[in-house]
Amino acid sequence: MRNFFTSESVAAGHPDKVCDRVADAVLDEYLKKDPGARVACEVCACKDYLLIMGEITSFAKVDAEECARRVIADIGYTDPELGFSSDGVKIDVKLTRQSPDIAMGVDKAAESGSGDPFDLTGAGDQGLMFGYACSETPELMPLPIMLSHAMCARLDEVRKSGELPYLRPDGKGQVTVEYEDGKPVRIEAVVLSAQHEPGVDMNVLRKDLKEHVIDKVMPAGFIDENTKFYINPTGRFETGGPAGDSGLTGRKIIVDTYGGRCPHGGGSFSGKDATKVDRSATYMARYVAKNVVAAGLAKECEIQIAYAIGVAHPVSVFVNTFGTGRTGDGRLAEIIRREFDLRPAAIIAALGLKEPIYAPTAAYGHFGRGEFPWEKTDRAAALAKYI
């Protein structure tokens, strides 16, 4: 059976990603000074304006405005003519303390009388989180999202290096992969749109992006004479970033995860410390799923973990191996609960989530990148005994 699957990614200068990066940079600044900081930072942006808002409880003092200007400059928005620049943007900061009602459930979980220190911290909210892994790439990720991320990362690289000096920070990409009996066999279509300076010849831009970006990251064996390329398909893309389209944290959660291959619980990651299970439990679900696949227990694994606010233990764990499991999905869920501690405090300790590691997650996805602790496969050997 043949079918097609498409995933997209965006460049670091996409307006939503600008907001994600600022929010996570603010989070990192707090964690550098106070690893126990409670941070829920949201950011929105439009032409020449940025709003930083949310709830933060910490003894640390952070200049959120200075942090935002530094991030905006690093992304590449330094020219006032772009309508959004590090020096010209007006920034409002509206940060207040975390609600005591939320803090109460986090600081003292329902199980806190057990004497176990990991029972002291409850989930920061109710919700359901998903993790996923599959064997179709070395990173144990779906191929379409990995290719889309690689293309957008390369787009930013050729802009920042000066290889294509006429490019501007905004851009997005999309890759459609054809599957035969569940295995990727070829690339059906590639879509790439890149912001550029005025007056650029479209024929030159399309030739350059094909040669310097697409051809550098697409696996040659997957391209054939029928592969379609749509490069700046509408033509001119001069106005971009927050000046062209407003931005908001958490509006690219499918880009952040698995490109649509796996369900999403709906919660954003960016700007949240690890007591928020939207972030930490999603990372843990990926860690568990990746180790399950790395151990050979399944070729494909989707995990759902659900929590109640103020309760340390998850209310449910669901596993789906799509018929590829070496043991039943119900038994695998039991194995996971036995082998992995899914309480928020235990997740934070296991993955080192009090460290200021979050700003780099804001572009090119949170998964499939070896620099993050939730991408380790150090539990695969222990799981292999269940085959």
Side-chain angles (χ1 to χ4, degrees), residues 116-171:
D116 187 329
F118 286 157
D119 275 342
L120 295 177
T121 302
D125 201 353
Q126 70 176 51
L128 46 132
M129 297 81 205
F130 289 89
Y132 180 83
C134 63
S135 58
E136 66 187 58
T137 65
E139 299 85 2
L140 304 186
M141 286 283 288
L143 183 61
I145 189 64
M146 293 304 295
L147 293 179
S148 298
H149 286 326
M151 184 165 59
C152 289
R154 177 63 182 169
L155 181 66
D156 283 331
E157 181 183 337
V158 298
R159 170 179 60 85
K160 286 195 163 189
S161 69
E163 190 173 342
L164 298 181
Y166 56 78
L167 292 179
R168 287 177 168 178
D170 200 355

Side-chain angles (χ1 to χ4, degrees), residues 46-313:
C46 60
K47 184 176 182 179
D48 286 331
Y49 182 74
L50 187 89
L51 172 62
I52 303 172
M53 57 186 171
E55 299 78 43
I56 295 178
T57 300
S58 173
F59 62 74
K61 302 297 181 184
V62 169
D63 187 339
E65 178 178 340
E66 188 278 332
C67 180
R69 293 192 189 279
R70 186 172 68 247
V71 166
I72 293 166
D74 182 66
I75 290 171
Y77 287 109
T78 56
D79 184 352
E81 291 187 6
L82 296 179
F84 186 85
S85 66
S86 55
D87 291 334
V89 63
K90 173 179 169 52
I91 298 178
D92 282 335
V93 179
K94 303 290 185 182
L95 296 172
T96 60
R97 289 183 65 84
Q98 183 185 48
S99 162
D101 295 340
I102 295 174
M104 178 174 59
V106 176
D107 294 336
K108 188 175 182 180
E111 305 98 321
S112 58
S114 69
D116 187 329
F118 286 157
D119 275 342
L120 295 177
T121 302
D125 201 353
Q126 70 176 51
L128 46 132
M129 297 81 205
F130 289 89
Y132 180 83
C134 63
S135 58
E136 66 187 58
T137 65
E139 299 85 2
L140 304 186
M141 286 283 288
L143 183 61
I145 189 64
M146 293 304 295
L147 293 179
S148 298
H149 286 326
M151 184 165 59
C152 289
R154 177 63 182 169
L155 181 66
D156 283 331
E157 181 183 337
V158 298
R159 170 179 60 85
K160 286 195 163 189
S161 69
E163 190 173 342
L164 298 181
Y166 56 78
L167 292 179
R168 287 177 168 178
D170 200 355
K172 60 198 313 183
Q174 183 174 288
V175 179
T176 300
V177 173
E178 182 176 353
Y179 287 79
E180 184 174 357
D181 297 328
K183 295 181 179 181
V185 294
R186 59 179 292 273
I187 293 171
E188 169 68 12
V190 177
V191 183
L192 180 61
S193 296
Q195 187 189 12
H196 56 83
E197 294 177 351
V200 175
D201 185 288
M202 280 297 106
N203 291 324
V204 171
L205 178 140
R206 287 172 176 141
K207 178 179 179 296
D208 284 348
L209 291 180
K210 176 69 165 57
E211 177 182 344
H212 294 276
V213 178
I214 295 172
D215 290 348
K216 295 293 184 181
V217 299
M218 296 298 150
F222 280 69
I223 302 291
D224 60 28
E225 67 276 6
N226 295 316
T227 300
K228 305 172 185 65
F229 298 95
Y230 303 96
I231 302 173
N232 279 44
T234 61
R236 188 177 63 183
F237 184 7
E238 296 174 8
T239 303
D245 189 12
S246 61
L248 184 66
T249 43
R251 205 157 53 179
K252 285 289 176 284
I253 55 178
I254 295 301
V255 171
D256 288 341
T257 52
Y258 307 99
R261 181 69 70 84
C262 172
H264 196 293
S268 166
F269 308 148
S270 296
K272 295 179 180 177
D273 75 89
T275 63
K276 282 74 172 173
V277 285
D278 281 336
R279 182 165 221 159
S280 55
T282 301
Y283 290 168
M284 190 63 172
R286 162 64 178 172
Y287 176 63
V288 174
K290 187 174 184 181
N291 276 271
V292 165
V293 174
L297 278 167
K299 292 182 179 180
E300 185 178 8
C301 182
E302 174 190 299
I303 295 172
Q304 183 205 66
I305 310 173
Y307 291 87
I309 188 169
V311 180
H313 289 271

